[in-house]
C-alpha cells in the first residue's frame, strides 16, 4: 500500500496538510499521527470496517478495546452517554490532556471499538496536530499506539515508519512526543471515586488534588493471574517489550551497580549486555551497551526516552537488558507499570 507522509510544524500546524489526512480518515483509511503521549494509529471511531483494519494492521488481540479521541468536550456525547455528574471538574482540570475516562457507550460506537463491551474509553488530546486532525475529520478517532502489537510504543516518526510504512494510508511526522508513555486510564466508581486502570502523566496525586479519591487497580503493578476477569484487557498482555529479555534491578545505588557489573562479567563481557541507567552513570558499566534514559530526579525525562531506548536495544541486538527504575510514585508509577510489562515482571530487589 502507498503511504502518504508529511512532516508538520507542531506549533502552527498547516491545516491544508492535515486536511489530506482528515479526508483519508473520513474515507475509512488509517492515519498515524502524533499526540502528546505517544503516536496513535487513527481511524473513524464510528466506522466498524475502518476500526477492524486497525486490529489487522497492528495484529492486536480483538479483546483489547480502543480509546476514542475527541477534539473538544462538545464531541463527548457522540460516543458516551449517561455521563455521571461530578465529572465536569475532571474534564475541566485535565482535558485536553493525558487522561482517558471509561464511560457508558452510545449505540453509534461499534462493538469492535469496545471489544464487545458496553463502555467506551474517551480522551481529548492536547497535541495541536491531533486536535486539528479530529476537528477536520469531523468524527471521533480511535487511536491505539501506532506500533505493531507487543512492541514498544512509538514516540517519534521513525518508530512509526519502521512498524507501519506500507501498511497504512498515511503517517504525519510531528517529531518527538512530549510525555512518551500512554495516557492515564480511569473508570468512575461512584461519586468522587476513580479507579486507575493504567497509570500515566495524570498521577493519583493530581486526581486527588482535583477532589477525587484515586484507587490504583491491583493489576497495575502485579501480573494478572490465570482466569481472573480484568477491568482493562490491556493489562493482560506482555507489552511494550524489547526482543531481549529484561530484568529490572531495584535497591541502593551501589548494590544495583555492582550487581549489574557482576552480571556483565559473568556473561563474558562481550558488549551484548544492555544496561538501561540514569544520566551520568555510563562510565560505571564496562563492556556493555549502555543507554542513559534520563535523570532520576526528572521522571518526565525518563518517560520521554523509555520506549526509544527499548527500541535502540533491539537495533543493537543485545541478548539481555538490566534496567534501573525510579520509585513507583507520581509519574514514576506509569514508568514502572510499562517497565514491568516490558520485563514480563522480572524484578530483582537487592
Ligand atoms: P492503547 O490504545 O494501546 O493505548 O490501549 C488502550 C487501553 O485502554 C487498552 O489496552 C485498555 O486497557 C484501555 N481501555 C480501552 N477501552 C476500555 C474500556 N472500555 N474499559 C477498560 N479499559 C479500556
Ligand atoms: Mg499500545
Amino acid at each position: 500500500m502507498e503511504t502518504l507522509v508529511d512532516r508538520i510544524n507542531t506549533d502552527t500546524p498547516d491545516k491544508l496538510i492535515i486536511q489530506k489526512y482528515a479526508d483519508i480518515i473520513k474515507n475509512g483509511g488509517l492515519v498515524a499521527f502524533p499526540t502528546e503521549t505517544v503516536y496513535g494509529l487513527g481511524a473513524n471511531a464510528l466506522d466498524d470496517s475502518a476500526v477492524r483494519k486497525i486490529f489487522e494492521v497492528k495484529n492486536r488481540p480483538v479483546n483489547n478495546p480502543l480509546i476514542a479521541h475527541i477534539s473538544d468536550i462538545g464531541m463527548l456525547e457522540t460516543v458516551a452517554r449517561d455521563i455521571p455528574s461530578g465529572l465536569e471538574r475532571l474534564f475541566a482540570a485535565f482535558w485536553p490532556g493525558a487522561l482517558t475516562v471509561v464511560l457508558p457507550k452510545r449505540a453509534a460506537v461499534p462493538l469492535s471499538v469496545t471489544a464487545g463491551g458496553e463502555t467506551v474509553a474517551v480522551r481529548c488530546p492536547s497535541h495541536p496536530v491531533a486536535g486539528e486532525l479530529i476537528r477536520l475529520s469531523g468524527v471521533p478517532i480511535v487511536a491505539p499506539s501506532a506500533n505493531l502489537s507487543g512492541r514498544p510504543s512509538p514516540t517519534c516518526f521513525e518508530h512509526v515508519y519502521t512498524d507501519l510504512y506500507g501498511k497504512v494510508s498515511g503517517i504525519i511526522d510531528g517529531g518527538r512526543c512530549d510525555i512518551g508513555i500512554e495516557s492515564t486510564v480511569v473508570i468512575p466508581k461512584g461519586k468522587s471515586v476513580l479507579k486507575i486502570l493504567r497509570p500515566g502523566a495524570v498521577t493519583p496525586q493530581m486526581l486527588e488534588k482535583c477532589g477525587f479519591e484515586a484507587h490504583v487497580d491491583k493489576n497495575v503493578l502485579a501480573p494478572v493471574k490465570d482466569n481472573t476477569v480484568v477491568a482493562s484487557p490491556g493489562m493482560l498482555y506482555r507489552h511494550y517489550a524489547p526482543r531481549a529479555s529484561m530484568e529490572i534491578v531495584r535497591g541502593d545505588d551501589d548494590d544495583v551497580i555492582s550487581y549489574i557489573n557482576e552480571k556483565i562479567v559473568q556473561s563474558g563481557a562481550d558488549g551484548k549486555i544492555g544496561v538501561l541507567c540514569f544520566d551520568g552513570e555510563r562510565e560505571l558499566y564496562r563492556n556493555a551497551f549502555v543507554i542513559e534514559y534520563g535523570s532520576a530526579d526528572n521522571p518526565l525525562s525518563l518517560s520521554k526516552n523509555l520506549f526509544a531506548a527499548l527500541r535502540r536495544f533491539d537495533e543493537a541486538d543485545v541478548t539481555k537488558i538490566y534496567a534501573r527504575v525510579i520509585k513507583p510514585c507520581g509519574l514514576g508509577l506509569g514508568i514502572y507499570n510499562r517497565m514491568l510489562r516490558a520485563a514480563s515482571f522480572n524484578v530483582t530487589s537487592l
Side-chain angles (χ1 to χ4, degrees):
M1 166 185 291
E2 233 181 274
T3 303
L4 185 67
V5 173
D6 274 283
R7 159 114 208 147
I8 200 148
N9 179 323
T10 52
D11 296 328
T12 51
D14 183 332
K15 279 194 187 179
L16 287 178
I17 297 179
I18 299 181
Q19 185 66 57
K20 294 189 290 183
Y21 294 89
D23 290 341
I24 294 175
I25 296 278
K26 280 195 254 182
N27 290 322
L30 305 188
V31 172
F33 61 96
T35 84
E36 71 276 25
T37 58
V38 303
Y39 273 74
L41 177 59
N44 177 354
L46 306 178
D47 178 344
D48 181 53
S49 75
V51 173
R52 284 168 192 271
K53 281 189 216 161
I54 287 186
F55 287 89
E56 273 169 42
V57 165
K58 282 185 52 106
N59 196 19
R60 182 180 174 103
V62 289
N63 64 348
N64 192 4
L66 306 178
I67 296 170
H69 295 76
I70 57 177
S71 54
D72 54 84
I73 190 111
M75 223 185 203
L76 180 59
E77 294 277 340
T78 61
V79 289
R81 62 179 168 80
D82 302 336
I83 295 152
S85 66
L87 290 190
E88 299 83 7
R89 67 177 191 283
L90 188 68
F91 301 139
F94 300 108
W95 279 1
L99 180 73
T100 296
V101 185
V102 177
L103 296 164
K105 88 172 192 72
R106 282 230 179 257
V109 178
L111 292 170
S112 50
V113 170
T114 64
E118 284 307 312
T119 56
V120 62
V122 191
R123 177 164 100 87
C124 178
S126 66
H127 195 292
V129 173
E132 200 60 53
L133 180 68
I134 302 164
R135 243 185 313 279
L136 292 174
S137 302
V139 290
I141 294 182
V142 280
S145 49
N147 53 288
L148 298 176
S149 207
R151 296 212 68 204
S153 303
T155 52
C156 65
F157 168 74
E158 290 72 20
H159 300 158
V160 181
Y161 185 91
T162 303
D163 280 16
L164 299 180
Y165 187 77
K167 298 185 175 129
V168 300
S169 298
I171 304 175
I172 305 178
D173 174 2
R176 291 184 66 196
C177 300
D178 285 337
I179 297 173
I181 61 171
E182 301 81 349
S183 59
T184 303
V185 179
V186 299
I187 184 162
K189 293 278 176 195
K191 224 173 162 47
S192 299
V193 180
L194 299 170
K195 189 170 188 187
I196 297 178
L197 304 179
R198 179 175 73 182
V202 174
T203 64
Q205 293 75 14
M206 289 160 74
L207 295 169
E208 304 225 322
K209 251 196 196 153
C210 183
F212 291 86
E213 240 179 82
H215 298 197
V216 178
D217 190 281
K218 65 179 186 315
N219 289 125
V220 162
L221 293 183
V224 176
K225 293 208 183 75
D226 283 352
N227 303 324
T228 35
V229 177
V230 289
S232 183
M235 293 168 165
L236 283 173
Y237 311 104
R238 178 168 186 257
H239 228 103
Y240 323 112
R243 278 188 274 275
S245 76
M246 182 161 138
E247 178 176 332
I248 295 170
V249 190
R250 301 182 64 172
D252 291 341
D253 287 356
D254 291 348
D255 296 339
V256 171
I257 291 159
S258 24
Y259 174 88
I260 295 176
N261 273 306
E262 271 167 39
K263 292 289 178 184
I264 295 170
V265 171
Q266 280 167 19
S267 76
D270 57 2
K272 285 288 173 197
I273 296 291
V275 179
L276 183 62
C277 64
F278 303 130
D279 287 353
E281 295 186 345
R282 179 182 303 282
E283 297 307 320
L284 300 172
Y285 304 98
R286 300 270 163 216
N287 303 313
F289 182 83
V290 183
I291 297 179
E292 295 172 333
Y293 70 122
S295 160
D297 304 323
N298 179 358
L300 193 58
S301 67
L302 299 169
S303 65
K304 188 167 179 170
N305 291 319
L306 173 65
F307 289 134
L310 297 184
R311 282 177 179 256
R312 277 172 60 205
F313 284 124
D314 280 352
E315 286 160 22
D317 245 346
V318 300
T319 50
K320 169 99 194 197
I321 301 163
Y322 294 95
R324 300 208 58 187
V325 289
I326 54 168
K327 287 205 174 64
C329 56
L331 178 55
L333 182 65
I335 296 170
Y336 194 46
N337 167 271
R338 305 311 190 276
M339 292 180 74
L340 279 174
R341 280 160 182 81
S344 300
F345 291 90
N346 181 9
V347 182
T348 298
S349 295
L350 302 172

